[in-house]
Amino acid sequence: MRRATAFAPATVSNVAVGFDILGFPVESVGDFVTVSIIEEPEVRVAEVVDLTGTLEESDIPADPARNTATVGLLKLREDLRLGYGFEVGLRKGIAVGSGMGGSAASAVAALTAANALLERPLTKETLFEYALLCEQASSGTAHPDNAAPCIFGGFTLIASMKPFRRVRLPVPEGVVVVLVRPRCRVETRRARGMLKAEVPLASHVRQSALLAGFVAGCYTNDLELVRQSFRDVLIEPQRAPLIPAFTEVRAAALEEGAIGASISGSGPAVFAWTTSNETAERVRAAMVSAFDEHGRVQADSWVSPVGAEGAKVVE
Ligand code: HSE
């Protein structure tokens, strides 16, 4: 039997200023998928291992047409007219409904592992197209801001979808990320469905200036400009009520010296950027205790650089 295992990292998307167009990977947390070639012309899930302690039975659909790890493989098999099938074993390191890009990671890890088994491997750009099908199946929209950084790595701007154009943005020197996930869930589909379809012109102008200032600050290594620009006036106010004690958690991060903090993806995870490991550890502790004290919810947390690498074959 031929098999390969791939790791795909968790990702922080939106990054406060760029709804649906910015994202980056976080090191040390992600999903592992093992794909084996089987004789039967089908795609099936053989095993699901929960590394988070939060998975419920209904979370991972047995039907491969609804499972984010297998939707892309089904289409890939069909497109390439493969005479064999795939069996998938999933080790979920990212909790479902966490806002940490779990559906993208499962999809990307499965595609990366399967790609390693192909006679003529596909490009990452092509794998990205398949990963978007999984995002569509899981959240109802093929949003690219988790799948792109998950595959390509680095602080990623999706400048255009048709044609696909991504830019790897520079990360200001010394930035250390804090990611904190309260043990509760927000369903991306719902968190998207609740957003107002239109934004007032003044808010659009304000957010455009913040996005431009943030990106300019990254290019010029101007941490003060990044700090001043680290705001989401469009999406965060609408979604904050979904997250227990979001206001207090964000305030705790800023009080301990974070240069900014916001919702990771559609939440409930919250991330912060800091400028040293020491500050990151203080910010992490303050955010976890704010979730506990004000939100009455326990939280898991990670400290990491902005991940330079995307998914990779590990076995
Ligand atoms: N940009 C997407 C959203 C990310 O905020 O809905 C979901 O993980």
Side-chain angles (χ1 to χ4, degrees):
M1 195 198 285
R2 291 179 56 217
R3 72 169 64 181
T5 300
F7 169 80
T11 44
V12 170
S13 58
N14 298 338
V15 198
V17 289
F19 178 67
D20 274 1
I21 60 168
L22 286 179
F24 62 82
V26 174
E27 287 178 0
S28 78
V29 55
D31 288 355
F32 292 87
V33 176
T34 299
V35 176
S36 311
I37 287 183
I38 53 173
E39 276 176 25
E40 299 85 340
E42 63 180 15
V43 177
R44 62 184 185 227
V45 180
E47 190 189 29
V48 178
V49 178
D50 175 22
L51 304 175
T52 70
T54 62
L55 211 59
E56 290 165 18
E57 200 158 330
S58 57
D59 283 339
I60 311 285
D63 176 3
R66 291 181 48 235
N67 186 317
T68 166
T70 44
V71 167
L73 296 187
L74 281 172
K75 184 77 167 73
L76 181 140
R77 243 200 99 245
E78 191 186 308
D79 289 351
L80 301 184
R81 301 202 171 95
L82 299 178
Y84 51 83
F86 295 120
E87 185 176 85
V88 172
L90 179 58
R91 272 186 289 154
K92 283 278 319 153
I94 305 172
V96 170
S98 61
M100 293 165 53
S103 57
S106 293
V108 168
L111 289 161
T112 303
N115 199 39
L117 302 172
L118 298 179
E119 214 168 290
R120 285 200 211 112
L122 304 171
T123 62
K124 287 186 179 186
E125 281 72 13
T126 306
L127 295 184
F128 171 66
E129 297 291 331
Y130 286 105
L132 289 183
L133 297 176
C134 305
E135 290 294 63
Q136 174 79 45
S138 131
S139 73
T141 322
H143 62 86
D145 48 334
N146 293 108
C150 186
I151 290 185
F152 300 107
F155 186 20
T156 305
L157 163 70
I158 295 97
S160 154
M161 282 301 285
K162 282 187 181 31
F164 177 58
R165 184 83 206 270
R166 76 188 157 89
V167 180
R168 182 183 276 234
L169 300 175
V171 178
E173 267 163 44
V175 165
V176 181
V177 178
V178 179
L179 181 60
V180 182
R181 179 186 72 86
R183 293 194 193 154
C184 55
R185 293 182 180 199
V186 169
E187 207 193 320
T188 300
R189 194 182 284 269
R190 178 171 164 237
R192 294 184 75 84
M194 68 185 284
L195 297 175
K196 293 190 192 109
E198 294 182 355
V199 297
L201 183 60
S203 306
H204 162 72
V205 172
R206 176 96 180 97
Q207 195 63 51
S208 302
L210 292 166
L211 171 61
F214 194 98
V215 172
C218 287
Y219 272 100
T220 55
N221 206 21
D222 183 341
L223 279 172
E224 197 43 41
L225 183 54
V226 172
R227 183 200 301 276
Q228 284 165 7
S229 308
F230 213 119
R231 282 238 50 133
D232 174 4
V233 298
L234 296 182
I235 308 298
E236 190 185 283
Q238 298 183 66
R239 285 178 170 172
L242 300 177
I243 303 172
F246 172 76
T247 308
E248 289 86 351
V249 171
R250 183 172 178 277
L254 299 181
E255 265 160 40
E256 283 303 332
I259 60 171
S262 188
I263 302 171
S264 173
S266 56
V270 178
F271 80 101
W273 273 17
T274 68
T275 49
S276 73
N277 284 316
E278 296 76 50
T279 314
E281 289 303 337
R282 285 206 314 273
V283 167
R284 179 220 290 253
M287 292 169 76
V288 168
S289 88
F291 267 125
D292 183 25
E293 193 180 327
H294 303 285
R296 300 266 163 260
V297 60
Q298 286 194 312
D300 301 308
S301 58
W302 299 266
V303 166
S304 157
V306 170
E309 281 189 19
K312 55 177 188 248
V313 175
V314 291
E315 220 173 281

